[in-house]
Amino acid sequence: MSLLTNKRILLCSGGGIAAYKTPELVRRLRDQGADVHVMLTSAAQRFVSTLALEVVSKHPVGVDLWSTDGKSQIVHTDAGKDADVIIVAPATANLIARVRHGFADDLVTTTIMASDTPVLLCPSMNTDMLDNPLVRENIDALAALPRYRVLEPGKGDLACGVIGRGRMPDPIDIIEAARAALSPNDLSGRRVVVTAGPTREDLDPVRFITNRSTGTMGFALARAFGARGADVTLIAGPVAKRSPVGVARRVDFVTAADLERAVLSHVAGADLLVMAAAVADYRPATRSATKIKKQPGDMSLPLERTTDILASLVDNPVREGVTVVGFAAETDDVERRAKDKLKRKKMDWIVANDVSRRGVGFGTGDNEGLLVSATGVTHVLERADKQAFAERIVETLAAALVGQPS
Ligand code: CTP
């Protein structure tokens, strides 16, 4: 189950060239389990076919204000109210102006006016239009209303031939914003530090020791905390990943020592520390300044221990008041080993994964495991894609934090 599972989303598209991207957006939302309904303005119908949208959404596409639903009921009054969130993408300058001024002269605007469902506006237009003071004023006025959330337009090649701001936000960002709109804001005011990704320890200028972590799990957790309103610091290893939308600040690390420094400087005063990073336990005892040349025969590498960051926090005053969540990636005897780590490193929670199973854990899209608390509660986390898996963890942690002073 993801936050979007069984959620009803109404996608309203205005007449911009980016309307051609909407079938892909519908498909991605449906991949997350959402039930997507679509309405097009008359101008949008010039850029995208109703047939394509009908086929991908599996519902008739609304285009006509005056049609009925076959039961003599005017469709617009219900479609907005029935939705959990309305996405306006692309939101053209014209459509934004009409919404801002309360117009209700076609199916899209009437539907928006006839409900109080949260609206995500995805402005999409050429840069000059976006910079026009009247357009700016309309966008700012809507952004100031609690019902409307305005996404930042993307940068890049625009249909008018210039490179600039004004592209429709990426589907991934729109989906993140939809997730945030549907999440309870129960972590607002809470400070959460999430570490993610592998460490990398140099042997020489061309070689290093690392591990199979891709950071996906930690990034998914950061996204899920951000969606619930937490103030998220993401401490990220060497992975080529964009920070999720809800992340307030990002600190990058390469080595276990960098990570240790970053954790120590951000953990004081946090409500939660989630150590999803896969930290090297050993690093090369020396780093050669020049490339190590091969020699006849075998070679062995002297390694030295890195600091166990979680263990080192146990007696550190900075840990006071911080709920600590660790991960245990195991290949055998998973639950016992995880519980052992939980005790040894005095964590409050541990997420245990069996990384020997095919298709879950490191480098895969899915995860499954156990979430075990120091108080003895064990939650079984069913197999799910890493985002849904993260949302399940965050939901449990959020429930546990409620009632604790912030
Ligand atoms: N961890 C840490 N510092 C380290 C190694 C691990 O803070 N130097 C954290 C990880 O981020 C994780 C938890 O400790 O949240 C457990 O990590 P893991 O490597 O599974 O446990 P270890 O205690 O290192 O045990 P082992 O490698 O022997 O299984």
Side-chain angles (χ1 to χ4, degrees), residues 322-337:
V322 185
T323 298
V324 172
V325 185
F327 272 70
E330 303 291 347
T331 53
D332 57 294
D333 209 359
V334 179
E335 188 167 355
R336 192 188 58 76
R337 287 183 193 276

Side-chain angles (χ1 to χ4, degrees), residues 14-16 41-43 90-101 103 105-106 109 124-125 129 135 138 142:
T41 63
S42 57
T92 57
N94 182 49
L95 184 51
I96 290 168
R98 284 160 61 226
V99 172
R100 189 259 164 125
H101 290 285
F103 278 49
D105 59 352
D106 68 358
T109 50
S124 172
M125 62 196 78
M129 279 174 108
V135 176
N138 288 335
L142 287 171

Side-chain angles (χ1 to χ4, degrees), residues 262-280:
V263 168
L264 286 176
S265 66
H266 286 88
V267 77
D271 294 286
L272 205 60
L273 168 66
V274 183
M275 281 292 290
V279 194

Side-chain angles (χ1 to χ4, degrees), residues 99-324:
V99 172
R100 189 259 164 125
H101 290 285
F103 278 49
D105 59 352
D106 68 358
L107 183 61
V108 165
T109 50
T110 307
T111 301
I112 293 172
M113 289 311 130
S115 82
D116 59 3
T117 304
V119 176
L120 299 178
L121 276 184
C122 305
S124 172
M125 62 196 78
N126 85 29
T127 312
D128 293 333
M129 279 174 108
L130 197 61
D131 289 338
N132 182 299
L134 295 174
V135 176
R136 253 327 342 139
E137 191 193 317
N138 288 335
I139 290 177
D140 292 346
L142 287 171
L145 298 174
R147 183 183 174 200
Y148 295 88
R149 158 107 214 272
V150 180
L151 272 70
E152 199 46 48
K155 281 191 195 135
D157 285 332
L158 302 176
C160 53
V162 287
I163 298 175
R165 283 162 51 250
R167 281 166 70 94
M168 190 168 94
D170 275 347
I172 190 163
D173 294 330
I174 297 175
I175 291 169
E176 272 192 49
R179 235 191 231 118
L182 293 166
S183 298
N185 214 28
D186 52 358
L187 293 179
S188 162
R190 302 289 184 158
R191 285 190 47 209
V192 177
V193 178
V194 180
T195 70
T199 51
R200 183 189 281 177
E201 306 290 342
D202 281 355
L203 279 162
D204 70 10
V206 295
R207 304 180 182 96
F208 51 75
I209 297 176
T210 188
N211 59 62
R212 293 187 194 283
S213 168
T214 57
T216 306
M217 196 59 235
F219 276 63
L221 284 161
R223 179 178 292 118
F225 281 116
R228 291 179 97 110
D231 174 85
V232 181
T233 301
L234 174 60
I235 305 182
V239 291
K241 280 191 195 305
R242 271 200 310 150
S243 297
V245 169
V247 167
R249 68 199 65 77
R250 173 167 174 169
V251 181
D252 291 306
F253 70 84
V254 177
T255 66
D258 298 339
L259 173 59
E260 183 189 1
R261 274 190 295 276
V263 168
L264 286 176
S265 66
H266 286 88
V267 77
D271 294 286
L272 205 60
L273 168 66
V274 183
M275 281 292 290
V279 194
D281 292 319
Y282 295 90
R283 66 175 157 239
T286 53
R287 177 190 188 278
S288 169
T290 52
K291 187 179 168 196
I292 301 169
K293 304 306 276 182
K294 61 177 162 303
Q295 307 287 343
D298 298 338
M299 85 178 280
S300 41
L301 284 170
L303 300 176
E304 64 182 17
R305 281 294 308 266
T306 58
T307 308
D308 188 317
I309 302 169
L310 280 184
S312 77
L313 285 178
V314 170
D315 296 318
N316 190 326
V318 290
R319 191 196 182 288
E320 210 163 296
V322 185
T323 298
V324 172

